[in-house]
């Protein structure tokens, strides 16, 4: 485990700088002066309060600006933030913290709001931890929050303050009717449609900043064959030497189908994945259980282990360039054995496998081809037996081809 952590740390340190990317952008300071710069694009999940930038691509010097000094900043028509002092509903949407109050719990905050749609009617967004709020402005009017709040009523039933629907009906009065609003969810996709519809009806050109995110490939399905290098050891805790065996390393085939979901923030650097995988381990060993004169007693032990492994994990990418990237991942593996057993002498032990962790590092090219080295912690294959303990461990070399 120490070797795994050390290796992962070295990979992270080596390639961290490779993934830093400064992109063309601008900012406007408190005096109204606009500066064309290169901004470090972190693809923020939570709305930022500061950012780093460089004045020239070749410059090694980076500078930092904060919300105190900047009115507005943007990155190459992909993201745009504007500083506003607004009333934000701080009510929690989490079940354990939800209130019994229908009224929004407003507090004044100065924040960078992110443009979602910009036009005659602007749709803006704010996120901070579990807080997600949409804001709007029409004809450069005061920016206000679109109010949506779940709250408890009697017997812990949940009701919803959907004031945002009335706000939209009252303010977006061109091309948007009651039918549109009644089926409107407090979600980016739904709200964007309504704001674009209003801007089109009002003969206003509009920028949909979310379209770049909608075009992202956030789901990958990858076929992943490979080779396992596995070993197995079994020990009887009560009778030393009786049935104990340490099997040699064995090479076997594995095949998996991985579903990966790219998380839509931080420039696609984070992902979660699941990979149902068929694997097997089959070998035998002859051991000497008694040495003496005039006879020597031997025992033949064999293991036939087949299972479907289901790793559920998280992955982080380190971008080298537009086509190549390094990744590291960790997963918890649920193992479903398939009629497997261990035999020695006249004994037949049914395998009952436990779960374990795996850790991997790999390389991906052109979003299609990949190779990964993966290693696991010990897995107990005899967890239903009181007198037996066992250690099954695997390292793997895995190739991958992304289908879509």
């Amino acid at each position: 485990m120490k070797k795994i952590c050390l290796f992962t740390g070295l990979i992270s340190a080596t390639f961290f700088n490779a993934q830093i990317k400064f992109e063309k952008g601008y900012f406007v300071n408190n005096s109204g002066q606009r500066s064309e710069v290169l901004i470090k694009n972190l693809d923020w999940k939570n709305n930022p309060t500061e950012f780093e930038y460089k004045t020239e691509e070749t410059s090694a010097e980076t500078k930092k600006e904060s919300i105190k000094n900047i009115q507005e900043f943007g990155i190459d028509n992909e993201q745009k933030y504007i500083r506003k002092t607004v009333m934000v509903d701080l009510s929690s949407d989490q079940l354990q913290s939800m209130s019994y109050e229908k009224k929004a719990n407003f507090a004044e905050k100065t924040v960078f709001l992110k443009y979602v749609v910009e036009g005659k009617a602007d749709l803006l967004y704010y996120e901070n931890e579990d807080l997600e709020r949409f804001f709007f402005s029409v004809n450069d009017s005061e920016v206000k929050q679109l109010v949506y709040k779940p709250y408890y009523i009697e017997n812990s039933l949940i009701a919803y303050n959907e004031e945002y629907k009335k706000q939209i009906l009252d303010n977006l009065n061109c091309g948007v009717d009651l039918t549109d609003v009644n089926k409107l969810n407090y979600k980016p996709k739904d709200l964007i449609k309504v704001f674009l519809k209003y801007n089109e009806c009002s003969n206003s050109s509009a920028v949909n900043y979310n379209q770049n995110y909608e075009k992202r490939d956030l789901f990958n399905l990858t076929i992943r064959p490979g080779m396992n290098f596995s070993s197995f050891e079994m020990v009887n805790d009560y009778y030393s030497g009786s049935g104990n065996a340490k099997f040699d390393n064995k090479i076997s085939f594995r095949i998996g189908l991985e579903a990966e979901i790219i998380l839509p923030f931080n420039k696609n650097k984070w992902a979660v994945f699941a990979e149902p995988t068929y694997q097997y381990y089959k070998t035998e060993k002859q051991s000497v259980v008694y040495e003496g004169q005039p006879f020597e007693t031997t025992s033949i032990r064999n293991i036939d282990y087949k299972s479907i492994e289901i790793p559920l994990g998280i992955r982080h990418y380190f971008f080298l360039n537009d086509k190549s990237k390094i990744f590291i991942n960790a997963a918890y593996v649920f193992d479903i054995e398939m009629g497997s057993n261990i035999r020695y002498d006249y004994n037949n032990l049914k395998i009952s496998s436990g779960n374990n962790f795996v850790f991997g590092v790999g390389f991906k090219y052109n979003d299609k081809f990949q190779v990964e080295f993966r290693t696991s912690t010990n897995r107990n294959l005899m967890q239903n037996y009181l007198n037996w303990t066992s250690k099954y461990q695997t390292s793997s070399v895995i190739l991958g081809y992304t289908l879509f």
Side-chain angles (χ1 to χ4, degrees):
M1 179 65 74
K2 289 182 179 178
K3 290 182 179 179
I4 293 170
C5 294
L6 177 61
F7 185 58
T8 301
L10 289 173
I11 289 292
S12 301
T14 302
F15 292 101
F16 179 76
N17 288 328
Q19 63 176 338
I20 296 175
K21 199 169 185 180
F22 287 83
E23 300 180 15
K24 289 182 180 179
Y26 74 94
F27 63 79
V28 179
N29 63 21
N30 288 341
S31 300
Q33 180 181 355
R34 180 182 172 112
S35 300
E36 303 292 332
V37 294
L38 296 165
I39 294 177
K40 183 179 178 182
N41 188 356
L42 297 179
D43 194 20
W44 298 269
K45 181 180 185 297
N46 295 324
N47 289 38
T49 57
E50 60 184 21
F51 59 88
E52 293 182 49
Y53 71 97
K54 296 195 295 188
T55 54
E56 296 179 1
E57 191 168 358
T58 55
S59 174
E61 181 186 6
T62 62
K63 299 179 181 179
K64 185 178 288 188
E65 278 293 359
S66 74
I67 195 169
K68 293 180 180 179
N69 305 318
I70 301 300
Q71 298 182 38
E72 178 186 315
F73 77 95
I75 300 175
D76 203 20
N77 293 322
E78 180 182 318
Q79 299 180 61
K80 181 178 178 180
Y81 291 87
I82 188 166
R83 184 184 67 195
K84 291 292 181 181
T85 298
V86 291
M87 302 301 291
V88 182
D89 178 17
L90 301 182
S91 306
S92 176
D93 298 340
Q94 305 301 306
L95 293 176
Q96 66 272 19
S97 305
M98 201 177 293
S99 75
Y100 284 84
E101 191 70 38
K102 179 179 180 180
K103 187 178 179 182
N105 177 27
F106 282 116
E108 186 177 86
K109 293 177 71 72
T110 299
V111 297
F112 275 134
L113 293 178
K114 182 179 183 179
Y115 274 95
V116 182
V117 173
E118 183 179 17
K120 183 177 180 181
D122 299 327
L123 176 66
L124 305 105
Y125 178 71
Y126 175 73
E127 180 175 356
N128 185 23
E129 302 302 336
D130 294 327
L131 206 66
E132 297 180 59
R133 302 290 183 259
F134 290 95
F135 294 78
F136 77 102
S137 172
V138 180
N139 290 325
D140 295 322
S141 63
E142 180 186 359
V143 175
K144 294 182 179 180
Q145 183 188 315
L146 291 168
V147 177
Y148 169 77
K149 178 186 176 181
Y151 61 96
Y152 284 124
I153 54 177
E154 292 181 358
N155 299 321
S156 295
L157 296 175
I158 297 175
Y160 299 90
N161 177 347
E162 297 184 328
E163 186 182 337
Y164 71 95
K165 293 182 177 181
K166 182 177 184 304
Q167 290 173 289
I168 288 174
L169 273 178
D170 291 345
N171 292 277
L172 306 188
N173 49 19
C174 180
V176 179
D177 56 30
L178 187 61
T179 303
D180 296 318
V181 172
N182 283 338
K183 58 184 181 182
L184 184 64
N185 294 313
Y186 198 77
K187 299 291 183 183
K189 188 175 181 180
D190 286 21
L191 294 171
I192 287 169
K193 286 182 180 178
V194 168
F195 275 77
L196 290 177
K197 192 173 182 180
Y198 171 81
N199 282 302
E200 182 180 0
C201 176
S202 303
N203 296 317
S204 169
S205 60
V207 179
N208 177 10
Y209 288 93
N210 212 54
Q211 63 185 353
N212 292 325
Y213 291 87
E214 293 171 351
K215 292 177 182 178
R216 289 184 178 186
D217 180 13
L218 298 180
F219 178 78
N220 296 316
L221 191 66
T222 304
I223 185 167
R224 286 167 48 96
M227 303 301 294
N228 284 347
F229 303 86
S230 306
S231 63
F232 178 67
E233 180 179 356
M234 54 188 289
V235 176
N236 190 302
D237 297 327
Y238 287 91
Y239 301 102
S240 177
S242 177
N244 294 359
K246 188 172 184 179
F247 293 83
D248 296 332
N249 287 337
K250 187 78 174 179
I251 299 176
S252 60
F253 180 73
R254 53 93 75 195
I255 181 72
L257 186 65
E258 180 188 86
E260 179 188 49
I261 298 175
I262 307 295
L263 301 180
F265 57 84
N266 201 217
K267 297 297 285 183
N268 294 1
K269 293 173 187 173
W270 291 95
V272 293
F273 66 90
E275 185 192 358
T277 303
Y278 172 78
Q279 68 90 40
Y280 70 94
Y281 177 76
K282 185 175 183 179
T283 188
E284 72 173 30
K285 183 180 182 66
Q286 181 172 311
S287 301
V288 176
V289 295
Y290 174 76
E291 267 186 288
Q293 298 294 333
F295 302 107
E296 181 179 81
T297 305
T298 63
S299 175
I300 296 178
R301 302 94 187 275
N302 62 64
I303 175 173
D304 185 0
Y305 171 42
K306 303 177 291 291
S307 74
I308 299 294
E309 298 177 332
I310 306 178
L312 300 178
I314 188 165
R315 176 173 293 147
H316 185 64
Y317 286 102
F318 301 88
F319 293 94
L320 304 179
N321 52 51
D322 291 338
K323 290 189 175 182
S324 303
K325 48 192 171 185
I326 297 287
F327 63 85
I328 57 175
N329 49 232
Y332 186 71
V333 182
F334 297 90
D335 190 64
I336 305 170
E337 65 86 22
M338 303 168 63
S340 305
N341 54 61
I342 300 168
R343 292 188 179 92
Y344 75 96
D345 299 335
Y346 302 104
N347 298 291
N348 187 5
L349 304 175
K350 180 176 172 56
I351 287 178
S352 177
S353 60
N355 304 322
N356 64 326
F357 290 93
V358 294
F359 304 88
V361 58
F363 174 77
K364 192 168 187 178
Y365 178 75
N366 207 26
D367 286 329
K368 283 290 184 182
F369 305 97
Q370 61 180 254
V371 60
E372 178 184 345
F373 171 75
R374 179 178 287 182
T375 189
S376 73
T377 58
N378 292 328
R379 179 185 299 165
N380 185 7
L381 302 188
M382 307 177 75
Q383 61 177 0
N384 286 351
Y385 293 90
L386 293 177
N387 296 345
W388 292 94
T389 57
S390 66
K391 296 178 181 179
Y392 176 74
Q393 189 172 32
T394 298
S395 295
S396 306
V397 176
I398 307 167
L399 302 178
Y401 178 78
T402 300
L403 303 174
F404 58 84

